[in-house]
């Protein structure tokens, strides 16, 4: 594979490790500190990352307010306002924000992302989510989460309207969920259209991605899982008249890196020790869309799980891991809470680069969405230790060659 | 009156004059040029304006795409993304954006504005509009504009939910239009809460303002109109348990200023000459919410107008002026199109300052929302000619005394 790997910097308040907010080298209000984010964005840009990535949810990240306040992202900026501010404090790096198809309307969303795209000179991307959390639903008057299939049907039409608006199609859209008459009051994007990102891993989610996405973020613990997902999704492209290379698959990776392996392990253990049991269990419960995990003995096995309308594919991933490694609830909670279900690598720059290279060259990833354990420390460590190692190996760019996110990612400009 | 007057800089692509885009000193793409907006924001901040103000509409500004493309704001940024970018390029000036209660949900809107408020260190304001335009309605699946009363009832509940969320009320809201469970994932604002702005001038609009607004923008041509509105609104405050000074009334003013009166008149006439008849008539039609004005002779009088669910109070204003000054359709269209129904002053800095001072000291205004005819020229002229004159007279600040928008406006910090 001659193409270079793609790298995203997933920014998240104090850090991706659930206990990052308790780490002595972070500050609790990092999530609403614009100078903190500007510094992170500049670090990522200096390291030539393809993009900054922000998640989003219109609600607390945990059902329990007490638990929510004890996580690494208990407070944080709304991502469009954040990325718009970062757009004028950076010049090259891509700016990708999550936004929901369930709690927005396509006209407003298309307009906002195209506006960010013009603000940034063609560096915007939209990560489409259907919002699987009942916490968000309760803030939008809904009495419960809509079924998975209904959310995806709305998302399919939503994406169709948004891309139509981005491509300057003037004729009105009248569909099942939406009716939109006007074109946008913005000219086409400097990069043709903002980049479309998705993260849904269910069957219907993969089909939507194969139809519309430019980038897919995933969670995969093992090489085999990552490879299976990669091959499956690339294999779906032809059915939608697209080339396999038209979509870039970027699994999340949660590295803890240091000059020596011992030092890296020590850093990681220091974080793991900071996780309170109740927070770990609550986070795992929320991720699994079950509410009574705390009733089970924390030293015992994961109970049988009910069918859920939440994130089906994620649930399967956790269950699989619990069985494979024989982890009890506390161990699973800590393991999971430490990486949020993503792939964890603890080691030296050489070890981290070896693992990334193996997945990249083994055809299991086009790049990675990097989820540093705490900020700025672990982003700095990745930028100063791992990136130069990847560059030495010819796996990552030395300089930006283009000015738009589409150019960084090597994506075709939409016609 | 010992308080100083308040000044807003209403930013609008190439300028407020409808033909600004044809002026030799503007560029057509100013609406999506972030460097243009950064320069304007810095000019306004250097001149110690209280705030920048942005309008918004989720749709074209004119029903006819051909007409829309011939106006001074045919393209432009979505205002939250714009103001978030300006937040990190300025340090003191307030940042007020319009957003609709008809095409948003209160949880998302409250979160976005509070995020902007944190980004800017307490400088954000929300201009609540109910969206009277059928053009916008058609982009949100609506078959027609909702009746005025229904829009305002939704707006009332919307504002209640938003301010509740801003004030950190955790208990859920369950009402007629909205149900919201969570608090926001943001701490309270650095200024207590973002500033609430309104512009509705109908009876129900005034009541909503007296109940919830910190600032009201209005359109008033004459001193008498301005004074009547001012006294009426201040008189409504007591019924809501508020002091008259808890609300700042800032009529729009569209000045054209130069070193000499002759020069100012020449600048204005140059702009008026650039207005095509069809654009002037179309703009007037849209403002009056009627569609067939073009059928009437352009040299004849304004016809009888049908009752409209659009902006009732604005319609009355135009009709009143047409009768008072005996203007035919072309004259009214040009007159109106030149100032968009706002108060026009053409003259020297002394003349402009005299007029502003008369309304301010006569108890008809607490300040003004300045609508420069074209950018940057007329904002520069106001900043370098009129502001120093107001400062010499002791009517306007020499320096910012506080760091938040609430402090600039002399508003109480909400408890």
């Amino acid at each position: 594979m001659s193409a270079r790997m793609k790298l995203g910097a997933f920014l998240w308040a104090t850090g991706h490790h659930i206990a990052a907010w308790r780490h002595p080298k972070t500050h609790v209000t990092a999530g609403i500190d614009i100078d903190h984010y500007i510094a992170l964005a500049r670090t990522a840009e200096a390291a030539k990352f393809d993009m900054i990535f922000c998640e989003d949810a219109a609600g607390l990240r945990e059902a329990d307010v007490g638990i929510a306040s004890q996580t690494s992202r208990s407070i944080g900026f709304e991502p469009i306002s954040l990325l718009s501010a970062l757009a004028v404090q950076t010049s090259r790096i891509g700016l990708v924000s999550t936004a929901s198809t369930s709690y927005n309307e396509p006209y407003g969303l298309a307009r906002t992302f195209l506006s960010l795209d013009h603000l940034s000179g063609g560096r915007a991307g939209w990560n489409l989510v259907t919002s699987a959390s009942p916490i968000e639903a309760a803030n939008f008057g809904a009495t419960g989460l809509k079924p998975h299939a209904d959310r995806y049907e709305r998302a399919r039409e939503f994406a169709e309207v948004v891309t139509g608006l981005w491509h300057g199609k003037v004729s009105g859209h009248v569909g099942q969920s939406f009716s939109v008459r006007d074109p946008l009051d913005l000219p086409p994007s400097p990069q043709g259209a903002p980049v479309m990102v998705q993260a849904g891993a269910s069957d219907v989610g993969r089909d939507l991605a194969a139809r519309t996405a430019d980038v897919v973020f995933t969670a995969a613990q093992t090489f085999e899982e990552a490879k299976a997902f990669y091959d499956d999704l690339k294999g779906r492209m032809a059915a939608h008249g697209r080339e396999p290379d038209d979509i870039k698959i970027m699994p999340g990776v949660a590295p803890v890196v240091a000059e020596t392996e011992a030092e890296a392990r020590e850093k990681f253990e220091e974080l793991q020790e900071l996780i309170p049991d109740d927070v770990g269990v609550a986070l795992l419960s929320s991720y699994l869309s079950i509410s009574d995990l705390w009733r089970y003995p924390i030293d015992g096995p994961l109970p049988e799980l009910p069918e859920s309308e939440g994130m089906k594919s994620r649930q399967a991933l956790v269950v699989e891991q619990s069985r494979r490694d024989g982890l009890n609830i506390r161990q699973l909670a800590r393991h999971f809470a430490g990486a949020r279900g993503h792939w964890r690598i603890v080691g030296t720059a050489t070890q981290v680069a070896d693992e990334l290279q193996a997945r990249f060259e083994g055809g299991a990833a086009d790049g990675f969405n990097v989820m540093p354990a705490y900020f700025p420390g672990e982003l700095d460590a990745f930028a100063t230790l791992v990136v130069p190692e990847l560059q030495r190996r010819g796996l990552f760019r030395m300089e930006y060659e283009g000015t738009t996110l589409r150019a960084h990612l090597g994506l075709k400009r939409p016609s």
Side-chain angles (χ1 to χ4, degrees), chain A residues 272 275 277 280-281 284 297-301 321-322 325-338:
Chain A
Q272 292 291 87
I275 306 173
D277 279 345
V281 171
L284 185 61
I298 195 160
D299 297 313
Q321 176 157 26
S322 128
D325 300 341
L327 301 179
N328 67 27
I329 292 178
R330 178 189 287 113
Q331 290 166 324
L332 198 61
R334 282 206 171 175
H335 177 89
F336 170 78

Side-chain angles (χ1 to χ4, degrees), chain A residues 270-284:
Chain A
E270 185 184 357
L271 280 160
Q272 292 291 87
E273 289 299 318
L274 294 173
I275 306 173
D277 279 345
D278 59 340
V279 171
V281 171
L283 190 73
L284 185 61

Side-chain angles (χ1 to χ4, degrees), chain A residues 49 54 67 75 92 106 148 160 187 190 209 212 215 219 228 306 311 316 322 393-394:
Chain A
F49 275 70
C54 291
I67 296 293
I75 54 171
R92 288 296 192 94
H148 190 270
E160 183 187 319
T212 62
V215 173
M311 291 179 183
S322 128
R393 298 182 188 191

Side-chain angles (χ1 to χ4, degrees), chain A residues 287-340:
Chain A
Y287 201 74
L288 295 173
S289 300
I290 56 175
S291 57
D292 61 350
L293 195 58
W294 59 272
R295 293 179 189 275
Y296 295 86
I298 195 160
D299 297 313
L302 196 65
E304 286 295 310
L305 298 177
E307 267 289 306
S308 149
E309 284 298 337
M311 291 179 183
K312 291 185 177 183
S313 49
R314 288 201 175 176
Q315 203 173 78
L317 209 76
V318 175
V319 172
E320 158 66 20
Q321 176 157 26
S322 128
R323 289 183 191 148
R324 191 180 59 230
D325 300 341
L327 301 179
N328 67 27
I329 292 178
R330 178 189 287 113
Q331 290 166 324
L332 198 61
R334 282 206 171 175
H335 177 89
F336 170 78
R340 292 179 185 270

Side-chain angles (χ1 to χ4, degrees), chain A residues 145-196:
Chain A
L145 196 58
K146 292 224 174 77
H148 190 270
D150 292 4
R151 293 204 316 274
Y152 269 90
E153 178 45 33
R154 179 180 162 108
R156 191 202 53 73
E157 187 185 340
F158 197 116
E160 183 187 319
V161 176
V162 168
T163 51
L165 287 165
W166 284 346
H167 293 144
K169 290 186 189 133
V170 176
S171 54
H173 167 95
V174 179
Q176 188 72 25
S177 301
F178 309 108
S179 132
V180 173
R181 192 185 58 188
D182 285 353
L184 297 175
D185 58 345
L186 286 160
S189 155
Q191 59 177 337
V195 169
M196 279 281 270

Side-chain angles (χ1 to χ4, degrees), chain A residues 44-350:
Chain A
E45 186 167 80
K48 317 300 175 196
F49 275 70
D50 293 79
M51 67 182 99
I52 287 163
F53 175 72
C54 291
E55 61 83 55
D56 191 41
L60 301 181
R61 298 306 189 276
E62 310 303 328
D64 184 293
V65 176
I67 296 293
S69 70
Q70 296 183 65
T71 65
S72 57
R73 202 265 184 223
S74 60
I75 54 171
F77 291 121
E78 176 280 329
I80 290 293
S81 49
L82 173 60
L83 289 180
S84 303
L86 296 182
V88 293
Q89 297 283 342
T90 54
S91 59
R92 288 296 192 94
I93 197 164
L95 305 160
V96 178
S97 174
T98 301
S100 171
T101 54
S102 294
Y103 309 120
N104 287 292
E105 287 275 329
Y107 193 89
L109 185 143
R111 190 168 158 251
T112 298
F113 277 87
L114 189 51
S115 183
L116 175 62
D117 206 37
H118 280 287
L119 262 172
S120 61
R123 297 186 282 135
W126 169 36
N127 178 39
L128 178 162
V129 295
T130 68
S131 300
S133 163
I135 305 174
E136 289 178 89
N139 293 330
F140 290 83
T143 49
L145 196 58
K146 292 224 174 77
H148 190 270
D150 292 4
R151 293 204 316 274
Y152 269 90
E153 178 45 33
R154 179 180 162 108
R156 191 202 53 73
E157 187 185 340
F158 197 116
E160 183 187 319
V161 176
V162 168
T163 51
L165 287 165
W166 284 346
H167 293 144
K169 290 186 189 133
V170 176
S171 54
H173 167 95
V174 179
Q176 188 72 25
S177 301
F178 309 108
S179 132
V180 173
R181 192 185 58 188
D182 285 353
L184 297 175
D185 58 345
L186 286 160
S189 155
Q191 59 177 337
V195 169
M196 279 281 270
V197 181
Q198 282 173 51
S202 65
D203 187 61
V204 60
R206 292 178 196 205
D207 263 339
L208 183 61
R211 183 203 296 255
T212 62
D214 300 306
V215 173
V216 168
F217 291 147
T218 70
Q221 300 276 349
T222 66
F223 178 88
E224 290 68 28
E225 281 164 17
K227 176 75 178 158
F229 179 84
Y230 189 95
D231 289 343
D232 177 84
L233 189 51
K234 296 271 180 175
R236 291 176 194 239
M237 297 292 282
H240 301 282
R242 304 177 70 201
E243 303 288 326
D245 204 40
D246 290 346
I247 198 163
K248 307 298 175 188
I249 300 176
M250 300 175 65
V253 61
V256 176
V257 63
E259 297 280 0
T260 66
E261 186 177 340
E263 211 184 316
R265 299 224 161 271
E266 198 178 314
K267 281 210 287 188
F268 181 57
E269 283 312 316
E270 185 184 357
L271 280 160
Q272 292 291 87
E273 289 299 318
L274 294 173
I275 306 173
D277 279 345
D278 59 340
V279 171
V281 171
L283 190 73
L284 185 61
S285 305
S286 158
Y287 201 74
L288 295 173
S289 300
I290 56 175
S291 57
D292 61 350
L293 195 58
W294 59 272
R295 293 179 189 275
Y296 295 86
I298 195 160
D299 297 313
L302 196 65
E304 286 295 310
L305 298 177
E307 267 289 306
S308 149
E309 284 298 337
M311 291 179 183
K312 291 185 177 183
S313 49
R314 288 201 175 176
Q315 203 173 78
L317 209 76
V318 175
V319 172
E320 158 66 20
Q321 176 157 26
S322 128
R323 289 183 191 148
R324 191 180 59 230
D325 300 341
L327 301 179
N328 67 27
I329 292 178
R330 178 189 287 113
Q331 290 166 324
L332 198 61
R334 282 206 171 175
H335 177 89
F336 170 78
R340 292 179 185 270
H342 282 269
W343 176 35
R344 161 76 62 205
I345 315 177
V346 181
T348 64
T350 303

Side-chain angles (χ1 to χ4, degrees), chain A residues 382-404:
Chain A
F382 192 91
T384 57
L385 299 174
V386 180
V387 167
E389 180 60 28
L390 294 172
Q391 289 170 328
R392 264 192 296 277
R393 298 182 188 191
L395 292 168
F396 191 60
R397 71 171 66 80
M398 301 293 293
E399 290 298 337
Y400 292 112
E401 282 147 27
T403 60
T404 68

